[in-house]
């Protein structure tokens, strides 16, 4: 039983994550992707906006919001019932004002970048690469380049994340 | 309620985000510092399984459980793939999460991730506003 409560090894968890692609395609006729939900939330919150990109029928994409709701429930279940101790997901020093600022700014880059790139790690790295999409390969390479670039900037500036 | 199945699929994926440790800031740091292969192996094995499934779905013209055709629309290349991709990566290493893990961290009780979510929503909103100018 310990196996269940520890971190699942990559050769179990990785392939199971990959199965989400066919689960959504065959089970729901939907392409895997999560960052679109952020757009739907914005559209939902601003029903009378003049911003063209947020004027669409988000209700037709409600499945995406349901999927995200499921992620929240599933991760709660996993941490409450499938973990020997509460999983540590963010470092203790992020539980501070400076941590909140880092998360806000970093989150901004994630949200802005994902929409500009047309997808995130799920839509491009998993779904797009699974479908051998060249634009997804470019995006994924840039995801990693961006991370390494940021790492370099922090190291040159002598700042620890 | 045809939507319930999507909640269940989300639960499946949410459990995996936590149990694979992909939603952990520490794993993301170790990935970018080349300290361990875990993240790379998770991503590569997930993509391998995804590729095989898409290949089989196309080859055997698999249909959905509701007997509808499966349509996989191509993602057209544009400069956003590069610029947006770079910005995304910068945010990825700082927050230690991407859109899926943001929701997984919140579900697992990591309340600070609410800041990441607010940031991500503001980022999405800003992009939406700027889209006519930056394409």
């Amino acid at each position: 039983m310990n196996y269940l409560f520890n971190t699942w090894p990559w050769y179990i968890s990785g392939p199971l994550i990959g199965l989400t692609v066919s689960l959504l395609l065959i089970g729901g006729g939907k392409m895997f992707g999560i960052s679109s939900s952020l757009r739907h939330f914005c559209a939902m919150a601003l029903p009378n906006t003049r911003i063209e990109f947020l004027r669409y029928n988000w209700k037709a994409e409600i499945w995406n919001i349901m999927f995200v709701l499921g992620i929240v429930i599933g991760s709660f279940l996993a941490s409450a019932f499938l973990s020997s101790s509460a999983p540590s997901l963010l470092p203790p020093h992020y539980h501070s004002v400076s941590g909140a600022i880092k998360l806000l700014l970093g989150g901004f880059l994630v949200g802005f970048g994902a929409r500009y790139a047309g997808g995130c790690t799920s839509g491009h790295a998993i779904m797009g690469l699974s479908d051998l999409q060249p634009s997804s390969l470019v995006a994924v390479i840039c995801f990693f380049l961006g991370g390494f670039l940021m790492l370099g900037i922090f190291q040159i500036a002598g700042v620890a994340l | 309620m045809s939507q319930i199945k999507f909640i269940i699929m989300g639960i499946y994926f949410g459990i995996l985000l936590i149990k694979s440790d992909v939603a952990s800031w520490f794993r993301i740091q170790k990935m970018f510092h080349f300290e361990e292969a875990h993240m790379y192996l998770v991503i590569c094995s997930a993509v391998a399984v995804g590729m095989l499934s898409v290949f089989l779905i196309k080859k055997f013209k698999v249909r959905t459980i509701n007997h509808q055709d499966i349509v996989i629309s191509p993602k057209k290349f544009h400069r956003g793939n590069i610029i947006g991709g770079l910005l995304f990566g910068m945010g990825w290493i700082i927050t230690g999460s991407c859109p899926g893990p943001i929701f997984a961290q919140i579900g697992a009780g990591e309340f600070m991730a609410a800041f990441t979510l607010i940031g991500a929503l503001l980022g999405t909103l800003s992009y939406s506003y700027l889209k006519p100018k930056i394409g």
Side-chain angles (χ1 to χ4, degrees):
Chain A
M1 281 301 271
N2 273 340
Y3 289 107
L4 196 62
F5 290 91
N6 294 337
T7 298
W8 297 352
W10 66 267
Y11 50 85
I12 304 285
S13 52
L16 289 177
I17 287 174
L19 278 182
T20 315
V21 170
S22 46
L23 197 62
L24 272 168
L25 281 175
I26 299 172
K30 304 294 181 192
M31 283 169 70
F32 185 35
I34 295 170
S35 62
S36 306
S37 66
L38 298 168
R39 182 189 178 198
H40 306 326
F41 284 126
C42 288
M44 196 191 291
L46 303 166
N48 299 315
T49 179
R50 273 192 238 161
I51 300 174
E52 175 106 16
F53 191 62
L54 297 178
R55 289 170 65 100
Y56 64 98
N57 181 21
W58 58 266
K59 288 184 183 120
E61 302 294 326
I62 193 88
W63 76 270
N64 203 238
I65 289 165
M66 293 298 150
F67 188 78
V68 161
L69 178 66
I71 293 180
V72 175
I73 299 170
S75 55
F76 164 73
L77 295 175
S79 63
F81 303 112
L82 288 174
S83 305
S84 40
S85 58
S88 165
L89 302 173
L90 286 175
H93 71 270
Y94 267 43
H95 288 250
S96 61
V97 175
S98 67
I101 294 169
K102 279 180 199 165
L103 292 173
L104 266 176
L105 291 176
F108 186 93
L109 292 171
V110 166
F112 190 97
R115 212 63 276 119
Y116 200 5
C120 59
T121 12
S122 52
H124 271 312
I126 298 184
M127 182 65 228
L129 291 186
S130 293
D131 190 37
L132 310 174
Q133 300 275 349
S135 64
S136 292
L137 183 61
V138 172
V140 173
I141 290 170
C142 290
F143 292 167
F144 280 94
L145 282 180
F148 290 124
L149 193 67
M150 196 77 244
L151 187 64
I153 292 171
F154 275 108
Q155 280 177 352
I156 290 167
V159 184
L161 255 181
Chain B
M1 274 300 283
S2 60
Q3 295 299 327
I4 287 177
K5 67 181 177 194
F6 292 111
I7 300 184
I8 295 167
M9 292 178 201
I11 291 174
Y12 169 83
F13 188 64
I15 291 174
L16 285 167
L17 283 176
I18 294 298
K19 294 314 296 176
S20 66
D21 236 9
V22 163
S24 157
W25 181 91
F26 302 93
R27 295 281 186 182
I28 305 298
Q29 302 308 313
K30 286 175 182 163
M31 171 180 80
F32 279 114
H33 284 90
F34 293 113
E35 282 172 17
E36 61 174 29
H38 179 81
M39 281 293 300
Y40 293 105
L41 292 167
V42 168
I43 295 172
C44 289
S45 57
V47 171
V49 168
M51 268 180 193
L52 183 66
S53 347
V54 171
F55 172 77
L56 292 174
I57 285 171
K58 285 183 170 172
K59 184 170 168 71
F60 295 105
K61 297 194 170 59
V62 178
R63 310 184 88 196
T64 70
I65 47 169
N66 296 327
H67 312 291
Q68 282 163 329
D69 288 332
I70 291 178
V71 185
I72 302 177
S73 42
K75 294 172 181 272
K76 263 174 76 178
F77 176 78
H78 62 108
R79 61 182 167 180
N81 295 141
I82 296 172
I83 307 166
L86 289 171
L87 295 174
F88 179 89
M90 294 173 140
W92 192 13
I93 190 171
I94 296 174
T95 61
S97 64
C98 39
I102 293 175
F103 294 105
Q105 289 182 349
I106 291 172
E110 179 47 86
F111 65 93
M112 287 303 281
F115 288 102
T116 322
L117 178 60
I118 294 167
L121 288 169
L122 291 175
T124 306
L125 185 61
S126 307
Y127 170 75
S128 307
Y129 180 74
L130 290 174
K131 189 177 186 287
K133 294 180 184 104
I134 60 176

